[in-house]
Amino acid sequence: MIFQEDFEQMRSLEQDLTFLSAKTEFDESNIPFKEKNLGIQNQDGIYTNLGLLLSDQCKHTIKVAVFNGETQNVFQDRNEFTGSLFKQMREVYSYIDFRNQKHSNFSGLKRIDKRDYPEVAIREALLNLIVHREYSYSASSFIRMYTDRIEFTSIGGLLKGITLEDIRLGISVCRNPKLANIFYRLELIEAYGTGIQKIIDSYSESEFKPQFATTENAFKIILPNLNYQKKNNKIQEDIVVYDCPENKIVEFAKTHTQFTRKDVQDTFNLSQTTCGRILNRMKEEGQISQHGKGKNTFYILKEKK
């Protein structure tokens, strides 16, 4: 068995690497990007597996699937995120955040807004998925979004001698110390072992609690939807949804006489595939109308009668 720390320092089989995403991340934090000091290269100038993970040519991916309901029977959307771990981190967070709906109800005259998932829980679960997974395996990490929950599943169970109870108590043995140190220097993570506690704390005022599960080869974080209540398998009816993906696009369309797929894609940082699926769904539901063909295709918001 290869220990992960050894894996980080081993020679990468791929040596034609570029670091555009990594350099951007370092520039934004005003930290010099020095390959040998970071462990991206060894003393002989050879790129390591750590370098491969941070490079634009990273072979590992994160797959995200969105389901309509509590099971996997009905797909709503799916995407696979590639490239540098930094690029995957930013794009996956945006993808989830776009679908993290805000619901509002009223207490007297006061409107109370609450998103489906605490933002800190999404952030920490995603960072855990990236920083602590077992990269000596080639399988993808998975994120599955259901109506009532999000599941983050990373490859690699807990390290030997560590239990789920230890994790809940804040005990952490880092599988990827060099990768974790880079994320720490960029202030993306704090001291080891704080992420799980932050997730737990973010649900402290809710009857719903996050769950953690592990097998020999996987670790899963399950975040419950704070706004979900079982009532004919729908979100509670007396809650108003303000910023689901379609509603965001409707608000955008209200300020534009006409708009293209590219306009929506760039405004909300969506992939071409995801954007196309959402627009097609809105068209089928009669929210927008499509005009033109090919590159000249544009959309117009339909007025409610």
Side-chain angles (χ1 to χ4, degrees):
M1 178 180 177
I2 297 176
F3 289 99
Q4 187 69 16
E5 186 171 0
D6 296 331
F7 176 81
E8 285 185 304
Q9 300 176 60
M10 288 176 61
R11 180 186 186 276
S12 169
L13 296 177
E14 175 67 56
Q15 288 293 310
D16 187 16
L17 305 180
T18 59
F19 297 91
L20 297 179
S21 294
K23 289 177 180 176
T24 298
E25 199 71 37
F26 274 76
D27 287 344
E28 290 180 358
S29 298
N30 295 316
I31 297 176
F33 184 79
K34 296 181 179 180
E35 297 179 356
K36 289 186 178 180
N37 291 351
L38 296 170
I40 292 173
Q41 282 185 338
N42 62 25
Q43 294 303 313
D44 297 322
I46 302 297
Y47 286 119
T48 63
N49 281 329
L50 177 63
L52 179 62
L53 295 179
L54 301 183
S55 75
D56 305 314
Q57 290 73 35
C58 177
K59 304 298 184 182
H60 302 277
T61 66
I62 300 175
K63 294 180 179 179
V64 185
V66 182
F67 301 96
N68 184 13
E70 300 177 28
T71 68
Q72 298 182 14
N73 291 337
V74 182
F75 264 108
Q76 225 174 30
D77 193 35
R78 70 182 82 187
N79 209 333
E80 183 171 12
F81 296 86
T82 62
S84 169
L85 294 186
F86 293 122
K87 177 174 177 285
Q88 294 183 44
M89 173 188 69
R90 297 294 181 187
E91 291 184 351
V92 171
Y93 183 83
S94 295
Y95 185 90
I96 297 174
D97 188 62
F98 188 73
R99 289 160 179 76
N100 189 8
Q101 300 176 8
K102 182 188 296 180
H103 301 259
S104 297
N105 56 24
F106 294 85
S107 177
L109 297 176
K110 184 178 180 181
R111 194 181 88 181
I112 301 173
D113 295 333
K114 183 168 66 176
R115 301 191 80 177
D116 289 343
Y117 303 95
E119 293 172 66
V120 65
I122 297 292
R123 169 189 165 85
E124 295 300 330
L126 176 59
L127 287 170
N128 183 281
L129 182 107
I130 293 173
V131 173
H132 295 294
R133 72 152 282 176
E134 172 64 78
Y135 284 106
S136 60
Y137 293 101
S138 60
S140 299
S141 297
F142 282 92
I143 300 174
R144 297 179 175 93
M145 302 184 68
Y146 301 88
T147 307
D148 64 329
R149 69 194 186 279
I150 301 180
E151 297 182 354
F152 295 78
T153 305
S154 58
I155 304 302
L158 298 179
L159 293 178
K160 187 176 181 180
I162 301 297
T163 67
L164 276 177
E165 188 60 28
D166 295 328
I167 294 296
R168 293 189 182 97
L169 292 175
I171 297 174
S172 176
V173 178
C174 191
R175 176 178 274 116
N176 308 298
K178 292 185 180 295
L179 178 63
N181 185 57
I182 289 174
F183 274 67
Y184 175 77
R185 290 183 61 185
L186 293 171
E187 298 184 347
L188 293 168
I189 62 174
E190 296 182 2
Y192 303 153
T194 61
I196 296 298
Q197 189 58 51
K198 286 182 178 180
I199 293 173
I200 295 172
D201 289 346
S202 69
Y203 281 85
S204 61
E205 297 182 0
S206 170
E207 62 180 301
F208 304 109
K209 303 299 178 184
Q211 302 294 318
F212 308 93
T214 186
T215 66
E216 184 177 350
N217 298 310
F219 180 73
K220 180 185 288 187
I221 297 174
I222 305 170
L223 303 180
N225 184 336
L226 292 171
N227 291 313
Y228 184 79
Q229 294 188 15
K230 285 191 175 182
K231 188 174 183 181
N232 300 324
N233 291 326
K234 295 181 180 180
I235 298 296
Q236 188 177 1
E237 293 176 359
D238 60 347
I239 293 179
V240 181
V241 181
Y242 277 92
D243 67 346
C244 66
E246 288 85 352
N247 285 357
K248 288 182 178 180
I249 295 174
V250 166
E251 292 303 312
F252 169 80
K254 287 179 180 179
T255 61
H256 295 74
T257 305
Q258 61 185 50
F259 59 94
T260 66
R261 176 192 54 77
K262 189 70 165 53
D263 293 332
V264 175
Q265 183 179 331
D266 292 344
T267 300
F268 298 106
N269 193 28
L270 299 172
S271 70
Q272 180 175 337
T273 301
T274 298
C275 186
R277 285 175 179 170
I278 293 174
L279 291 176
N280 283 336
R281 188 161 63 241
M282 292 179 70
K283 186 175 62 174
E284 292 171 0
E285 293 174 354
Q287 293 177 288
I288 59 176
S289 58
Q290 179 178 330
H291 305 269
K293 293 183 179 179
K295 294 181 179 180
N296 296 320
T297 298
F298 63 92
Y299 301 88
I300 294 177
L301 180 65
K302 285 188 175 182
E303 294 185 4
K304 291 184 178 181
K305 296 181 180 181

